[in-house]
Amino acid sequence: MSTLSPIQLLPRHVVQLIVKYIASSNLPLFGGVPEGDAKHMELLLPFLQVCHNFRSVVYSSYCKNLELEFYGGDRLLTSWRPWPCRYRESDHAAYHLAREVLVKVDSLAVFNGQAHGFLLRAPFNDCPFPLARSLRFSFSLWQLDYAKRVLDALDPAELRANISAFVDRVKQMAPKVNEIRLELVMQLGHPPDIVKKYFGSLVTQLYQLASRVDLSYYHSLAPMELQLHEIRDLVHISSRNYDEKLGYLVRLNASTLQYLTTTFNRGEDFAGVIRDESGDYVQYPHLHTLKLITCVIPVDMRLPIFPGAVPFPTLRHIALDGEYPLGDETIFRGNAATLEFLSLMIPPEKLVLLRERRVFTPTSHPKLRYTQDDIDMLVANKDFVLGIGPNVVLREVTNIPFCTDLPRMLSPNRDRSCLQYLLLYGTSLDLSQVIMLLDELPLLTDLHCGSRGLGLHIAEQPLEDFANFMNSKQGKFGKRFRCWHLDCLVACSEREVALCVLYLALACPNFNHVAPNGNNDDSFKQEMDLLIDSEDLFKPYASRLRRIAFSSDI
């Protein structure tokens, strides 16, 4: 006979459901705080005292982002984000679960060897973060004059040894890391040359640990002497800023780079990616994803052109947001056979160039299947949408006011639209409008919008007559429709929305999920069950109707 208590014998999936339920409960005590809030996380603290099974579930679900702080002395602060309180090392043993580790450290502690020495003495094993793939470093550097005096007093060989020892210890602690992000919080002012030299060496060596670099805070590192020529074999570069140094780093890794996202302030900045210092074109044979954000470019500015250049021959994903940075179609040149996803959040007038050069024709891009388009561009450029071919799925179309011509506006002059996911943020539809969409969009699987209830026309009909009508339409429209992401309720009750759901379920054979935006899952389900039990017209279909799930988790 087992000596374990019944609660210790609960299967893991049951424990997961319990923890998930408590973590997402809308408790009045906390006012329904969102997940990740410190008070929200306090709801989970009692589970740590139950048993090993409960601790394991909580740790594996919520112990993914670890923060380490060391500013000198003999104390290392650790905390799990977004947990509300700090834990001593002896409080738990979940370090091995960390997926992302943020290290906050005083730069001088690295230079004088304190940081490395403390990490060696810390209560870690040889590999405390075996699952960590991402490392974030936040270095602080205050009192620049004092920092200069400290570095001047250290032997250069000792300085280099301390930096290398710190980097080696980081690599030992997280051997599988593949992404690095660095930032420097520094006193305003011009850093001394010796600080720029050795901090640049530290940053360079850390970047060499990974194949993916996140340069979101590159502007804070730019004043330092980075040895960019030593940072090679990168496959992923992400940056919020662009300058000549970053352009050099991108070109340096052209032969291995697979993913590039950055922001340009000027159209000509992009030239630094396509052409090197000698004027020769650069090619990126393995780049599959290109995401560019460009600021407003003056209308009278002459944009660069690159005749004959084919820099991105294997692109599968192109996302342009802001302005189109070039005066020709260079970005789209040579990748017609590989392009699969296209996102163009650019002014409609900027598409004239692509139309004139016939970049897209119904047969030019055989693999292009998914596009994401701004509605202003879509409406103003129907011929462009037609030009990208009949097989393309407009995967997400947002911010559309409802009108009876909506399906034809989404897919002009096509017999049947191939839209799969329709997101109408801020738009609420009544049931008759939802039915019209499902009838016009046969491949639609997910609809995200608010509800206005049944609508006047349907509300005036007897419940039984309309239920029989919807059941007779089963399989004739909405064959693939499966989920209604319910954004909000406008001038209607939860009971009326429950009726809408039941009617749709009678006609749509695969409709089985409603995802309310909020914490009304239980109340919607209760209203639906009450209607099934109290209205005779729904009882013959009860087993099918009860399979509909109300959950914000999809």
Side-chain angles (χ1 to χ4, degrees):
M1 182 176 180
S2 175
T3 59
L4 299 176
S5 66
I7 199 168
Q8 292 176 291
L9 297 175
L10 288 175
R12 184 178 177 86
H13 72 276
V14 174
V15 176
Q16 289 173 330
L17 290 175
I18 295 173
V19 172
K20 184 177 180 180
Y21 173 78
I22 295 298
S24 59
S25 294
N26 183 14
L27 297 181
L29 176 62
F30 298 112
V33 293
E35 183 173 347
D37 186 276
K39 291 183 178 180
H40 172 91
M41 302 304 292
E42 285 178 356
L43 298 173
L44 303 176
L45 295 180
F47 286 130
L48 302 180
Q49 310 300 322
V50 177
C51 66
H52 171 77
N53 205 9
F54 273 79
R55 284 193 296 274
S56 175
V57 168
V58 172
Y59 286 155
S60 61
S61 301
Y62 297 96
C63 290
K64 297 179 180 179
N65 299 302
L66 180 64
E67 185 173 306
L68 307 178
E69 296 182 44
F70 179 71
Y71 296 111
D74 57 355
R75 188 181 181 193
L76 176 72
L77 301 178
T78 66
S79 61
W80 291 100
R81 292 173 289 145
W83 286 81
C85 57
R86 300 189 181 278
Y87 295 93
R88 298 185 305 275
E89 175 67 20
S90 59
D91 283 335
H92 58 84
Y95 288 112
H96 65 285
L97 299 172
R99 297 314 201 263
E100 177 181 305
V101 181
L102 170 62
V103 182
K104 296 182 178 181
V105 61
D106 182 4
S107 302
L108 292 183
V110 176
F111 296 143
N112 63 25
Q114 279 188 321
H116 162 246
F118 188 82
L119 290 178
L120 287 177
R121 298 192 304 273
F124 297 141
N125 54 27
D126 290 338
C127 180
F129 311 124
L131 301 180
R133 296 294 186 272
S134 177
L135 287 181
R136 307 285 192 255
F137 288 90
S138 178
F139 292 101
S140 59
L141 186 59
W142 305 108
Q143 299 178 337
L144 294 178
D145 291 339
Y146 174 71
K148 181 181 184 301
R149 291 197 299 271
V150 170
L151 294 182
D152 284 337
L154 291 172
D155 180 72
E158 182 183 0
L159 258 173
R160 291 191 293 269
N162 289 339
I163 292 173
S164 298
F166 177 79
V167 174
D168 290 343
R169 180 56 178 156
V170 169
K171 183 176 181 180
Q172 184 184 33
M173 292 168 59
K176 295 185 178 180
V177 65
N178 61 7
E179 182 178 14
I180 295 284
R181 187 184 76 189
L182 305 175
E183 68 172 316
L184 172 62
V185 181
M186 185 179 67
Q187 173 190 346
L188 291 177
H190 186 71
D193 290 343
I194 191 170
V195 173
K196 293 193 292 185
K197 175 182 177 180
Y198 287 105
F199 191 86
S201 176
L202 170 62
V203 170
T204 301
Q205 292 185 47
L206 286 173
Y207 276 142
Q208 289 175 326
L209 296 180
S211 60
R212 300 161 58 96
V213 295
D214 183 342
L215 299 170
S216 298
Y217 298 94
Y218 172 74
H219 60 281
S220 69
L221 306 174
M224 302 303 169
E225 295 180 6
L226 306 181
Q227 288 86 44
L228 295 180
H229 63 279
E230 298 181 7
I231 306 175
R232 295 178 178 271
D233 301 323
L234 296 179
V235 300
H236 181 123
I237 296 178
S238 176
S239 174
R240 297 177 185 171
N241 308 91
Y242 180 87
D243 64 8
E244 293 183 1
K245 292 181 180 179
L246 181 60
Y248 171 75
L249 181 64
V250 171
R251 296 194 304 271
L252 186 66
N253 290 274
S255 62
T256 57
L257 202 60
Q258 300 176 18
Y259 180 104
L260 173 62
T261 176
T262 188
T263 298
F264 292 93
N265 295 320
R266 303 176 303 167
E268 58 265 30
D269 286 343
F270 196 59
V273 172
I274 298 178
R275 193 160 43 201
D276 62 19
E277 300 92 331
S278 62
D280 295 331
Y281 290 144
V282 180
Q283 190 171 83
Y284 301 79
H286 302 293
L287 192 72
H288 58 68
T289 299
L290 178 66
K291 296 184 178 181
L292 302 180
I293 301 175
T294 52
C295 299
V296 176
I297 299 174
V299 177
D300 57 349
M301 177 176 288
R302 184 169 181 174
L303 298 176
I305 61 174
F306 303 96
V310 187
F312 313 116
T314 60
L315 274 182
R316 301 199 304 265
H317 183 138
I318 296 178
L320 304 178
D321 189 353
E323 299 275 351
Y324 186 69
L326 304 181
D328 61 14
E329 77 286 9
T330 298
I331 291 177
F332 299 95
R333 200 177 290 150
N335 48 51
T338 58
L339 190 61
E340 299 175 5
F341 182 96
L342 175 66
S343 177
L344 297 176
M345 302 295 184
I346 59 180
E349 60 271 15
K350 300 297 182 179
L351 291 171
V352 174
L353 169 68
L354 301 182
R355 293 203 304 269
E356 290 177 346
R357 306 226 172 181
R358 294 184 58 79
V359 172
F360 294 95
T361 67
T363 58
S364 62
H365 293 73
K367 291 187 177 182
L368 184 60
R369 291 293 181 270
Y370 304 113
T371 67
Q372 180 173 315
D373 304 279
D374 182 85
I375 186 59
D376 293 334
M377 183 279 290
L378 192 63
V379 174
N381 295 276
K382 292 181 179 180
D383 56 333
F384 175 79
V385 176
L386 279 174
I388 58 181
N391 296 325
V392 171
V393 176
L394 301 175
R395 195 174 184 90
E396 296 181 3
V397 184
T398 64
N399 301 323
I400 305 176
F402 185 81
C403 65
T404 56
D405 197 40
L406 179 61
R408 283 168 289 282
M409 181 175 71
L410 295 175
S411 190
N413 301 328
R414 297 181 186 179
D415 292 335
R416 309 296 283 175
S417 174
C418 49
L419 189 68
Q420 291 181 342
Y421 302 86
L422 183 58
L423 290 80
L424 304 177
Y425 293 115
T427 300
S428 297
L429 311 180
D430 63 36
L431 181 58
S432 62
Q433 293 169 329
V434 173
I435 292 173
M436 186 275 288
L437 279 180
L438 294 177
D439 189 38
E440 294 286 343
L441 306 173
L443 300 185
L444 193 69
T445 63
D446 289 63
L447 174 63
H448 188 137
C449 68
S451 174
R452 290 184 175 272
L454 296 171
L456 184 61
H457 173 68
I458 296 176
E460 291 177 343
Q461 299 187 40
L463 291 179
E464 185 173 1
D465 290 351
F466 192 72
N468 291 333
F469 168 76
M470 292 295 285
N471 189 57
S472 69
K473 293 292 184 179
Q474 184 180 142
K476 296 182 180 178
F477 69 88
K479 289 183 181 180
R480 299 193 181 186
F481 184 58
R482 69 175 191 91
C483 183
W484 186 6
H485 301 260
L486 191 57
D487 192 23
C488 62
L489 276 61
V490 178
C492 63
S493 64
E494 292 179 356
R495 181 181 185 277
E496 195 170 350
V497 175
L499 266 175
C500 294
V501 171
L502 291 175
Y503 285 144
L504 287 174
L506 291 176
C508 306
N510 293 308
F511 178 45
N512 58 15
H513 203 125
V514 179
N517 182 17
N519 297 303
N520 300 315
D521 304 1
D522 292 338
S523 56
F524 277 119
K525 183 67 173 175
Q526 290 170 5
E527 289 289 350
M528 192 183 74
D529 289 340
L530 185 61
L531 283 168
I532 295 173
D533 293 335
S534 61
E535 300 290 344
D536 291 338
L537 60 100
F538 292 121
K539 288 182 180 178
Y541 321 109
S543 60
R544 174 154 57 98
L545 298 177
R546 292 190 192 279
R547 291 199 296 266
I548 298 175
F550 284 82
S551 172
S552 300
D553 299 317
I554 193 72

